[in-house]
Amino acid sequence: MGLQSYVIDPRGTGDGIWQRLRSDIGLAVGIGIIGGVLIVVLDAVMMPFVAQDLPQSVIGATRPTVLDVFAYVPVRFLYGGITEELMLRFGLMSVLVFVGWRITGTRTDGPQPAVVWAAIVIAAVLFGLGHFPALAQSVDLTPALIVRTVLLNAVAGVLFGWLYWRRSLEAAMVAHASFHVPLIVLSLVQVALF
């Protein structure tokens, strides 16, 4: 289907995983960091529309510490970077590409780009929807918060899906982990300002 993982690639080139991933690292880190900055900017743009829906504890009235920020770093890097990519890109997106390819049956050598793009977008939107349970534990869901959550996460999901399609699952994982760097920096800046 054109989707690959260096870890489970049966064709293998004889190169080790790290040697094969090396050519993807710069692009993956760059897309991850640019994506993280983009999400921070989009969130700031959307804040006037959702601020009334967020209790002050969510938008900054509580005073997190540097320790609080760093305590959550492994979850961001490992759960986001590995677990979510295994579930959403390797699992869901791969299945959607395969099903779409079989339904359209237009090519024997792989799915059409439109099929892959449809799978990327569907998986990205479902990625956004998957963040509702955690959000609902903190706030009451409103239409504005629902749109914000789906949009921000879907933007990231599209970036990671594209990397999985064009490079590798591992590149998407690196990008997803890197995506959290600007978010962590923003959290540290917020701690310093409060």
Side-chain angles (χ1 to χ4, degrees):
M1 294 185 307
L3 304 173
Q4 69 175 341
S5 167
Y6 298 142
V7 172
I8 62 170
D9 185 358
R11 296 171 290 152
T13 62
D15 295 333
I17 294 167
W18 299 116
Q19 288 79 17
R20 295 174 71 197
L21 184 58
R22 187 177 309 152
S23 66
D24 295 346
I25 292 289
L27 177 65
V29 168
I31 285 177
I33 290 175
I34 290 168
V37 170
L38 175 63
I39 295 308
V40 168
V41 169
L42 286 173
D43 195 25
V45 168
M46 297 180 83
M47 191 53 68
F49 303 102
V50 298
Q52 68 278 2
D53 300 329
L54 297 172
Q56 288 302 307
S57 63
V58 175
I59 59 175
T62 61
R63 293 183 173 265
T65 66
V66 171
L67 184 60
D68 294 332
V69 173
F70 282 115
Y72 195 60
V73 166
V75 172
R76 288 180 166 192
F77 287 153
L78 298 175
Y79 182 80
I82 296 173
T83 305
E84 287 182 347
E85 289 309 304
L86 286 171
M87 291 187 309
L88 274 290
R89 256 52 73 186
F90 184 68
L92 181 61
M93 185 181 139
S94 296
V95 168
L96 291 170
V97 169
F98 180 77
V99 169
W101 175 33
R102 291 301 181 204
I103 288 172
T104 60
T106 54
R107 291 174 51 181
T108 57
D109 62 336
Q112 291 281 346
V115 168
V116 179
W117 274 114
I120 289 171
V121 170
I122 291 168
V125 169
L126 292 173
F127 177 59
L129 294 173
H131 286 80
F132 285 168
L135 182 63
Q137 289 180 349
S138 303
V139 298
D140 292 329
L141 296 180
T142 65
L145 284 175
I146 289 169
V147 168
R148 171 188 168 263
T149 301
V150 172
L151 177 66
L152 296 181
N153 286 289
V155 167
V158 166
L159 295 173
F160 307 146
W162 180 84
L163 269 173
Y164 175 36
W165 176 33
R166 290 302 189 193
R167 296 298 179 125
S168 67
L169 176 64
E170 292 79 11
M173 290 175 169
V174 168
H176 196 145
S178 300
F179 170 85
H180 290 282
V181 170
L183 304 178
I184 292 165
V185 169
L186 178 62
S187 295
L188 290 171
V189 168
Q190 289 172 331
V191 166
L193 293 177
F194 288 114

PDB file of all heavy atoms in Angstrom, residues 91-114:
ATOM      1  N   GLY A  91      -2.480   1.629  12.808  1.00  0.00           N
ATOM      2  CA  GLY A  91      -3.708   0.843  12.892  1.00  0.00           C
ATOM      3  C   GLY A  91      -4.800   1.389  12.004  1.00  0.00           C
ATOM      4  O   GLY A  91      -5.067   0.864  10.921  1.00  0.00           O
ATOM      5  N   LEU A  92      -5.431   2.466  12.420  1.00  0.00           N
ATOM      6  CA  LEU A  92      -6.613   2.982  11.736  1.00  0.00           C
ATOM      7  C   LEU A  92      -6.323   3.460  10.313  1.00  0.00           C
ATOM      8  O   LEU A  92      -7.027   3.073   9.374  1.00  0.00           O
ATOM      9  CB  LEU A  92      -7.229   4.122  12.556  1.00  0.00           C
ATOM     10  CG  LEU A  92      -8.486   4.744  11.962  1.00  0.00           C
ATOM     11  CD1 LEU A  92      -9.604   3.720  11.838  1.00  0.00           C
ATOM     12  CD2 LEU A  92      -8.920   5.933  12.799  1.00  0.00           C
ATOM     13  N   MET A  93      -5.328   4.292  10.137  1.00  0.00           N
ATOM     14  CA  MET A  93      -5.055   4.814   8.795  1.00  0.00           C
ATOM     15  C   MET A  93      -4.714   3.695   7.821  1.00  0.00           C
ATOM     16  O   MET A  93      -5.179   3.694   6.682  1.00  0.00           O
ATOM     17  CB  MET A  93      -3.938   5.851   8.841  1.00  0.00           C
ATOM     18  CG  MET A  93      -3.675   6.521   7.510  1.00  0.00           C
ATOM     19  SD  MET A  93      -2.332   7.708   7.662  1.00  0.00           S
ATOM     20  CE  MET A  93      -1.465   7.376   6.129  1.00  0.00           C
ATOM     21  N   SER A  94      -3.913   2.742   8.260  1.00  0.00           N
ATOM     22  CA  SER A  94      -3.561   1.620   7.386  1.00  0.00           C
ATOM     23  C   SER A  94      -4.795   0.839   6.962  1.00  0.00           C
ATOM     24  O   SER A  94      -4.939   0.470   5.787  1.00  0.00           O
ATOM     25  CB  SER A  94      -2.577   0.675   8.087  1.00  0.00           C
ATOM     26  OG  SER A  94      -1.364   1.322   8.342  1.00  0.00           O
ATOM     27  N   VAL A  95      -5.681   0.576   7.907  1.00  0.00           N
ATOM     28  CA  VAL A  95      -6.919  -0.143   7.587  1.00  0.00           C
ATOM     29  C   VAL A  95      -7.773   0.660   6.614  1.00  0.00           C
ATOM     30  O   VAL A  95      -8.304   0.122   5.640  1.00  0.00           O
ATOM     31  CB  VAL A  95      -7.711  -0.489   8.872  1.00  0.00           C
ATOM     32  CG1 VAL A  95      -9.119  -0.959   8.550  1.00  0.00           C
ATOM     33  CG2 VAL A  95      -6.960  -1.533   9.686  1.00  0.00           C
ATOM     34  N   LEU A  96      -7.895   1.963   6.862  1.00  0.00           N
ATOM     35  CA  LEU A  96      -8.692   2.803   5.969  1.00  0.00           C
ATOM     36  C   LEU A  96      -8.106   2.848   4.558  1.00  0.00           C
ATOM     37  O   LEU A  96      -8.845   2.806   3.567  1.00  0.00           O
ATOM     38  CB  LEU A  96      -8.810   4.225   6.535  1.00  0.00           C
ATOM     39  CG  LEU A  96      -9.648   4.369   7.802  1.00  0.00           C
ATOM     40  CD1 LEU A  96      -9.486   5.776   8.382  1.00  0.00           C
ATOM     41  CD2 LEU A  96     -11.103   4.041   7.533  1.00  0.00           C
ATOM     42  N   VAL A  97      -6.793   2.921   4.444  1.00  0.00           N
ATOM     43  CA  VAL A  97      -6.151   2.905   3.126  1.00  0.00           C
ATOM     44  C   VAL A  97      -6.428   1.571   2.438  1.00  0.00           C
ATOM     45  O   VAL A  97      -6.813   1.532   1.265  1.00  0.00           O
ATOM     46  CB  VAL A  97      -4.632   3.166   3.227  1.00  0.00           C
ATOM     47  CG1 VAL A  97      -3.937   2.873   1.895  1.00  0.00           C
ATOM     48  CG2 VAL A  97      -4.352   4.596   3.658  1.00  0.00           C
ATOM     49  N   PHE A  98      -6.260   0.485   3.161  1.00  0.00           N
ATOM     50  CA  PHE A  98      -6.483  -0.834   2.574  1.00  0.00           C
ATOM     51  C   PHE A  98      -7.931  -0.996   2.107  1.00  0.00           C
ATOM     52  O   PHE A  98      -8.186  -1.427   0.975  1.00  0.00           O
ATOM     53  CB  PHE A  98      -6.127  -1.938   3.575  1.00  0.00           C
ATOM     54  CG  PHE A  98      -6.329  -3.314   3.022  1.00  0.00           C
ATOM     55  CD1 PHE A  98      -5.413  -3.860   2.142  1.00  0.00           C
ATOM     56  CD2 PHE A  98      -7.440  -4.063   3.364  1.00  0.00           C
ATOM     57  CE1 PHE A  98      -5.597  -5.133   1.610  1.00  0.00           C
ATOM     58  CE2 PHE A  98      -7.638  -5.330   2.848  1.00  0.00           C
ATOM     59  CZ  PHE A  98      -6.710  -5.866   1.968  1.00  0.00           C
ATOM     60  N   VAL A  99      -8.888  -0.636   2.958  1.00  0.00           N
ATOM     61  CA  VAL A  99     -10.305  -0.764   2.607  1.00  0.00           C
ATOM     62  C   VAL A  99     -10.646   0.142   1.423  1.00  0.00           C
ATOM     63  O   VAL A  99     -11.310  -0.274   0.468  1.00  0.00           O
ATOM     64  CB  VAL A  99     -11.211  -0.475   3.831  1.00  0.00           C
ATOM     65  CG1 VAL A  99     -12.669  -0.343   3.425  1.00  0.00           C
ATOM     66  CG2 VAL A  99     -11.044  -1.568   4.875  1.00  0.00           C
ATOM     67  N   GLY A 100     -10.170   1.381   1.473  1.00  0.00           N
ATOM     68  CA  GLY A 100     -10.423   2.303   0.367  1.00  0.00           C
ATOM     69  C   GLY A 100      -9.824   1.818  -0.937  1.00  0.00           C
ATOM     70  O   GLY A 100     -10.441   1.927  -2.007  1.00  0.00           O
ATOM     71  N   TRP A 101      -8.644   1.254  -0.872  1.00  0.00           N
ATOM     72  CA  TRP A 101      -7.970   0.715  -2.052  1.00  0.00           C
ATOM     73  C   TRP A 101      -8.780  -0.445  -2.620  1.00  0.00           C
ATOM     74  O   TRP A 101      -9.009  -0.527  -3.823  1.00  0.00           O
ATOM     75  CB  TRP A 101      -6.567   0.281  -1.656  1.00  0.00           C
ATOM     76  CG  TRP A 101      -5.759  -0.398  -2.711  1.00  0.00           C
ATOM     77  CD1 TRP A 101      -5.794  -0.173  -4.068  1.00  0.00           C
ATOM     78  CD2 TRP A 101      -4.764  -1.393  -2.508  1.00  0.00           C
ATOM     79  NE1 TRP A 101      -4.878  -0.971  -4.699  1.00  0.00           N
ATOM     80  CE2 TRP A 101      -4.227  -1.731  -3.764  1.00  0.00           C
ATOM     81  CE3 TRP A 101      -4.262  -2.024  -1.373  1.00  0.00           C
ATOM     82  CZ2 TRP A 101      -3.219  -2.682  -3.915  1.00  0.00           C
ATOM     83  CZ3 TRP A 101      -3.259  -2.955  -1.536  1.00  0.00           C
ATOM     84  CH2 TRP A 101      -2.748  -3.285  -2.790  1.00  0.00           C
ATOM     85  N   ARG A 102      -9.245  -1.339  -1.767  1.00  0.00           N
ATOM     86  CA  ARG A 102     -10.019  -2.496  -2.222  1.00  0.00           C
ATOM     87  C   ARG A 102     -11.390  -2.087  -2.766  1.00  0.00           C
ATOM     88  O   ARG A 102     -11.869  -2.658  -3.737  1.00  0.00           O
ATOM     89  CB  ARG A 102     -10.184  -3.525  -1.101  1.00  0.00           C
ATOM     90  CG  ARG A 102      -8.895  -4.213  -0.749  1.00  0.00           C
ATOM     91  CD  ARG A 102      -8.355  -4.914  -1.973  1.00  0.00           C
ATOM     92  NE  ARG A 102      -7.132  -5.601  -1.664  1.00  0.00           N
ATOM     93  CZ  ARG A 102      -6.219  -5.909  -2.563  1.00  0.00           C
ATOM     94  NH1 ARG A 102      -6.388  -5.587  -3.817  1.00  0.00           N
ATOM     95  NH2 ARG A 102      -5.136  -6.538  -2.205  1.00  0.00           N
ATOM     96  N   ILE A 103     -12.009  -1.096  -2.141  1.00  0.00           N
ATOM     97  CA  ILE A 103     -13.325  -0.642  -2.613  1.00  0.00           C
ATOM     98  C   ILE A 103     -13.204   0.027  -3.972  1.00  0.00           C
ATOM     99  O   ILE A 103     -13.998  -0.232  -4.870  1.00  0.00           O
ATOM    100  CB  ILE A 103     -13.978   0.317  -1.586  1.00  0.00           C
ATOM    101  CG1 ILE A 103     -14.430  -0.475  -0.358  1.00  0.00           C
ATOM    102  CG2 ILE A 103     -15.167   1.057  -2.200  1.00  0.00           C
ATOM    103  CD1 ILE A 103     -14.915   0.398   0.786  1.00  0.00           C
ATOM    104  N   THR A 104     -12.208   0.890  -4.129  1.00  0.00           N
ATOM    105  CA  THR A 104     -12.055   1.588  -5.409  1.00  0.00           C
ATOM    106  C   THR A 104     -11.473   0.671  -6.470  1.00  0.00           C
ATOM    107  O   THR A 104     -11.808   0.825  -7.650  1.00  0.00           O
ATOM    108  CB  THR A 104     -11.170   2.841  -5.271  1.00  0.00           C
ATOM    109  OG1 THR A 104      -9.867   2.454  -4.818  1.00  0.00           O
ATOM    110  CG2 THR A 104     -11.797   3.843  -4.322  1.00  0.00           C
ATOM    111  N   GLY A 105     -10.606  -0.240  -6.066  1.00  0.00           N
ATOM    112  CA  GLY A 105     -10.045  -1.223  -6.989  1.00  0.00           C
ATOM    113  C   GLY A 105      -9.465  -0.640  -8.255  1.00  0.00           C
ATOM    114  O   GLY A 105      -9.454  -1.297  -9.290  1.00  0.00           O
ATOM    115  N   THR A 106      -8.981   0.585  -8.185  1.00  0.00           N
ATOM    116  CA  THR A 106      -8.530   1.247  -9.392  1.00  0.00           C
ATOM    117  C   THR A 106      -7.109   0.899  -9.795  1.00  0.00           C
ATOM    118  O   THR A 106      -6.766   1.036 -10.958  1.00  0.00           O
ATOM    119  CB  THR A 106      -8.628   2.776  -9.229  1.00  0.00           C
ATOM    120  OG1 THR A 106      -7.922   3.159  -8.046  1.00  0.00           O
ATOM    121  CG2 THR A 106     -10.079   3.218  -9.125  1.00  0.00           C
ATOM    122  N   ARG A 107      -6.304   0.447  -8.889  1.00  0.00           N
ATOM    123  CA  ARG A 107      -4.910   0.126  -9.215  1.00  0.00           C
ATOM    124  C   ARG A 107      -4.506  -1.171  -8.548  1.00  0.00           C
ATOM    125  O   ARG A 107      -4.900  -1.456  -7.427  1.00  0.00           O
ATOM    126  CB  ARG A 107      -3.983   1.235  -8.738  1.00  0.00           C
ATOM    127  CG  ARG A 107      -4.138   2.512  -9.512  1.00  0.00           C
ATOM    128  CD  ARG A 107      -3.334   3.640  -8.948  1.00  0.00           C
ATOM    129  NE  ARG A 107      -1.923   3.305  -8.731  1.00  0.00           N
ATOM    130  CZ  ARG A 107      -1.066   4.162  -8.217  1.00  0.00           C
ATOM    131  NH1 ARG A 107      -1.445   5.361  -7.861  1.00  0.00           N
ATOM    132  NH2 ARG A 107       0.189   3.818  -8.038  1.00  0.00           N
ATOM    133  N   THR A 108      -3.687  -1.913  -9.232  1.00  0.00           N
ATOM    134  CA  THR A 108      -3.184  -3.150  -8.630  1.00  0.00           C
ATOM    135  C   THR A 108      -1.886  -2.923  -7.880  1.00  0.00           C
ATOM    136  O   THR A 108      -1.504  -3.733  -7.052  1.00  0.00           O
ATOM    137  CB  THR A 108      -2.950  -4.225  -9.714  1.00  0.00           C
ATOM    138  OG1 THR A 108      -2.046  -3.701 -10.685  1.00  0.00           O
ATOM    139  CG2 THR A 108      -4.261  -4.617 -10.370  1.00  0.00           C
ATOM    140  N   ASP A 109      -1.198  -1.818  -8.175  1.00  0.00           N
ATOM    141  CA  ASP A 109       0.094  -1.570  -7.536  1.00  0.00           C
ATOM    142  C   ASP A 109       0.007  -0.687  -6.304  1.00  0.00           C
ATOM    143  O   ASP A 109       1.014  -0.322  -5.734  1.00  0.00           O
ATOM    144  CB  ASP A 109       1.072  -0.977  -8.549  1.00  0.00           C
ATOM    145  CG  ASP A 109       0.622   0.367  -9.095  1.00  0.00           C
ATOM    146  OD1 ASP A 109      -0.598   0.649  -9.065  1.00  0.00           O
ATOM    147  OD2 ASP A 109       1.488   1.138  -9.540  1.00  0.00           O
ATOM    148  N   GLY A 110      -1.183  -0.349  -5.880  1.00  0.00           N
ATOM    149  CA  GLY A 110      -1.334   0.453  -4.674  1.00  0.00           C
ATOM    150  C   GLY A 110      -2.507   1.395  -4.781  1.00  0.00           C
ATOM    151  O   GLY A 110      -3.079   1.585  -5.847  1.00  0.00           O
ATOM    152  N   PRO A 111      -2.875   1.993  -3.673  1.00  0.00           N
ATOM    153  CA  PRO A 111      -4.034   2.878  -3.659  1.00  0.00           C
ATOM    154  C   PRO A 111      -3.750   4.217  -4.347  1.00  0.00           C
ATOM    155  O   PRO A 111      -2.604   4.676  -4.387  1.00  0.00           O
ATOM    156  CB  PRO A 111      -4.304   3.082  -2.168  1.00  0.00           C
ATOM    157  CG  PRO A 111      -2.983   2.864  -1.523  1.00  0.00           C
ATOM    158  CD  PRO A 111      -2.270   1.845  -2.358  1.00  0.00           C
ATOM    159  N   GLN A 112      -4.787   4.816  -4.877  1.00  0.00           N
ATOM    160  CA  GLN A 112      -4.703   6.154  -5.449  1.00  0.00           C
ATOM    161  C   GLN A 112      -4.383   7.154  -4.339  1.00  0.00           C
ATOM    162  O   GLN A 112      -4.790   6.951  -3.187  1.00  0.00           O
ATOM    163  CB  GLN A 112      -6.048   6.550  -6.084  1.00  0.00           C
ATOM    164  CG  GLN A 112      -6.397   5.767  -7.319  1.00  0.00           C
ATOM    165  CD  GLN A 112      -5.639   6.276  -8.539  1.00  0.00           C
ATOM    166  OE1 GLN A 112      -5.059   7.355  -8.526  1.00  0.00           O
ATOM    167  NE2 GLN A 112      -5.631   5.479  -9.581  1.00  0.00           N
ATOM    168  N   PRO A 113      -3.709   8.255  -4.648  1.00  0.00           N
ATOM    169  CA  PRO A 113      -3.453   9.274  -3.627  1.00  0.00           C
ATOM    170  C   PRO A 113      -4.734   9.781  -2.964  1.00  0.00           C
ATOM    171  O   PRO A 113      -4.729  10.066  -1.765  1.00  0.00           O
ATOM    172  CB  PRO A 113      -2.749  10.392  -4.411  1.00  0.00           C
ATOM    173  CG  PRO A 113      -2.062   9.667  -5.534  1.00  0.00           C
ATOM    174  CD  PRO A 113      -3.004   8.548  -5.904  1.00  0.00           C
ATOM    175  N   ALA A 114      -5.835   9.876  -3.700  1.00  0.00           N
ATOM    176  CA  ALA A 114      -7.095  10.342  -3.105  1.00  0.00           C
ATOM    177  C   ALA A 114      -7.563   9.410  -1.999  1.00  0.00           C
ATOM    178  O   ALA A 114      -8.115   9.854  -0.989  1.00  0.00           O
ATOM    179  CB  ALA A 114      -8.173  10.472  -4.174  1.00  0.00           C
TER     180      ALA A 114
END
